[in-house]
Amino acid sequence: MNILETKNLYFTYPDGDQRKIILNEVNVSFDKGKFYTILGASGSGKTTFLSLIAALDKPERGEILFNGEAIEKIGYEKYRRDDIGIVFQSYNLIPYMNSLENVMVAMSITDNEMEKDMKAQALRILESVGIDENKAKRRINRLSGGEQQRVAIARAISTNVDVIIADEPTGNLDGKTSEMIIDIFKKLAHEQNKCVIMVTHSEKIAAESDVVLKLNTDTQNFEVTS
Amino acid sequence: MKWFKRSWLSITRNKIKTGILFLTTFIIGSFLSSTLALYLSNEQIKAEIKNKLGPVATVHSYYNFDEPYADTYDKYFDEYTMILEKLAQNPAVEYANIHYSLTGFASPSIYDDSTMSYQDYEAMNKKAVPLICYGTNYSMPIEVQEYKMEITDGRGFTEEEINTGANVILLPENYKRNDNQAIQIGDQIQLYYKKDQQIILEYQVKVIGKFKQINQLPQDMNLSDCVIMPNQTIEHISLSLNEAWLSFSDAISHGDHYDIPQISISSPIIRLKNIDYLEAFHERATLLLKNKNYVFSSASDIYDAIAGIIENMSFMSKFLVSSAFISSILILSLITTMFIRLRKHEIGVYMAVGEKKNRIIFQFIHEILFIMLLSFNLSLLAGKQISNSLSEELMDFLIDPNIQTITQTDELLNPEQISRDTILNNYSLSFDSSFLIVYEVLSLSVFTLSASFPLIYLVKSKPKDILSE
């Protein structure tokens, strides 16, 4: 069974007096253990699609199924809390907390089972993305962009979710740092059996993924290439 | 990391934001607490003055007796007693202490042991002691009920004695018989009225009790030379005296009977059951007192005469406290909105990781509540200083040195002679528990109203909208 699936997903934006179709009856599915990238021109609806599958917004029509169950039925809030992790382009970390605290925020919010020593678990997760204990205790504004993004990835995976959704996570990073982040995502998919879905502008990064979904602005639907 | 800990981290690490909210609340709180202290103190002083004056009223008579005096006196007496009885029947009245009195009487058989020794009394050839017949309309005189006097021996009157005008009296306890023996309860005492060495009337009364004055009476009334008896008894004695005088004066062609003492009615103290009834009672009394010979006066009139400045201060402080309250809500709403909007991405992050909205709200409420209440409470200290200066400034502004202070008011209704000067000299602001309770309620209201708008914004937002703003 697919871990995540969209059925007839439909979404429009207001465009003057009209409404512009962004996603038109989109049917697409995602599996665990694969790294997906979503490509498309600016304004094609990549981020909109991501917002919908991340339950940050609601579709006008159609549904999103997680393990065969509609996320509306699971509850948007609960779905975000227990079933997915989100990584943003602008990191979206809490500035007055350190890296460790940022990760522990998500761990304390989820209903998923966590280790008794949450702090040790968070430090191990941070270590796995290249943030050592010293950096883990630094305030966010004292970390580089790449380090901040790795903290954001650590936060996304800290809740033992199966799906990681990332919105242009390398958009603000240099080439070398981007490569490191992509490596993390690939490992998450291939070594930890996660389903990683990432929006990107870069054909080069897309080439690193297992499946490329290209949003066609004419059909407002995906073309799938492997 | 639970919402409570996140909130604490935010308070301690977002020092500038915490500082701005704290400082703004402190300034607002100082103004709010100072104006509130001023307002509540004025209200308390107003209540104290009203309480001291009590729910009392009276009707003074300024009857102009036309000639011949004899024709108008009876009319006056009937009219005045009718007015007082009608007022006394008003359901708002707790009591109406109506006194008749008759002077000019004496007793040949008793003397006041406290004012002269028996030897002196003997040396004066046991001259008769002048006595005032002092009436009451209550079986237990109001003076006893109000601890102005006490019955030291015997009893008070019965309702029957009051209604029928029985020949019974209460005698000051210091009186003795003219043979220096103690007067016993049940003894008969002779009162007489003499004119030109002629005894016009002799009247036998029975002593049913002895009394002692224990506290000051209105208008410094002294009961030491009074025998207390029912008003009706005084009316009987007066009638008997008039009849006796008429037959006596006919015999000696001595003019009209009003050459002898007549009953007088002193302005009564009418106490109402509640101070709130005074205004309505005043209106009813005014309708009853159609002619200019009677003037209704109440504690409200005295209050108006002496507490004008407090009323003005109260009005101004009410305006100030209302302004402070409204401006507090507006300013703090803006600050908290700014406070929350600056952290909208943080809210978006909590939503994105699936935090429940109520917990996000708890976190922000806790942060704002903690800072605001701490600041509001510390601002009490500054508020105390400000309110002292504010009250002095207001007094200077309101006291017109050209207006002469009213120093004398109706002594019957204002026995302590509370004046504007005594009020102002004793004026002080109070920061008591009632002030603290009202202030805490007010500051919580300010918090609730100012924090509600940004929190509604928070609850209504979609995470995508917050994160993309």
Side-chain angles (χ1 to χ4, degrees), chain B residues 301-317:
Chain B
D301 304 324
I302 296 168
Y303 177 81
D304 292 343
I306 62 176
I309 192 160
I310 298 294
E311 277 294 329
N312 290 340
M313 278 184 77
S314 173
F315 175 78
M316 290 193 83
S317 59

Side-chain angles (χ1 to χ4, degrees), chain B residues 416-453:
Chain B
E416 290 181 40
Q417 281 299 292
I418 307 164
S419 67
R420 193 185 82 168
D421 287 345
T422 55
I423 294 167
L424 295 181
N425 291 339
N426 294 315
Y427 185 90
S428 69
L429 295 170
S430 63
F431 287 81
D432 55 9
S433 56
S434 62
F435 163 77
L436 288 174
I437 291 167
V438 175
Y439 182 65
E440 293 301 330
V441 169
L442 214 58
S443 53
L444 272 173
S445 310
V446 170
F447 158 76
T448 310
L449 292 169
S450 60
S452 55
F453 295 110

Side-chain angles (χ1 to χ4, degrees), chain B residues 65-79:
Chain B
F65 295 105
D66 301 326
E67 291 297 333
Y69 179 78
D71 293 341
T72 52
Y73 190 86
D74 286 344
K75 191 182 161 204
Y76 149 75
F77 183 79
D78 291 344
E79 196 174 81

Side-chain angles (χ1 to χ4, degrees), chain A residues 32-99:
Chain A
K32 283 169 80 173
K34 283 187 179 171
F35 177 26
Y36 296 84
T37 49
I38 297 171
L39 270 176
S42 292
S44 59
K46 304 184 296 290
T47 300
T48 302
F49 177 75
L50 215 68
S51 297
L52 295 176
I53 62 169
L56 297 174
D57 206 350
K58 292 177 184 177
E60 284 173 42
R61 283 207 306 264
E63 58 182 359
I64 299 153
L65 307 176
F66 178 80
N67 276 333
E69 192 179 5
I71 64 168
E72 197 168 3
K73 202 173 165 193
I74 296 169
Y76 287 93
E77 206 173 74
K78 184 172 168 46
Y79 169 71
R80 289 196 302 268
R81 182 162 64 238
D82 301 334
D83 299 324
I84 60 161
I86 311 170
V87 181
F88 299 94
Q89 182 180 1
S90 52
Y91 328 130
N92 279 337
L93 297 169
I94 297 165
Y96 57 84
M97 291 183 188
N98 61 32
S99 310

Side-chain angles (χ1 to χ4, degrees), chain A residues 57 80-81 92 96 101 108, chain B residues 1 13 346 349 351 354:
Chain A
D57 206 350
R80 289 196 302 268
R81 182 162 64 238
N92 279 337
Y96 57 84
E101 287 161 347
S108 63
Chain B
M1 189 183 293
R13 292 187 186 168
E346 183 187 339
V349 171
M351 286 178 161

Side-chain angles (χ1 to χ4, degrees), chain A residues 143-154:
Chain A
L143 297 176
S144 68
E147 286 167 336
Q148 286 190 45
Q149 195 58 293
R150 276 182 275 172
V151 174
I153 294 167

Side-chain angles (χ1 to χ4, degrees), chain B residues 233-244:
Chain B
T233 311
I234 292 182
E235 220 176 327
H236 292 164
I237 295 173
S238 179
L239 278 171
S240 303
L241 181 61
N242 285 336
E243 282 166 15

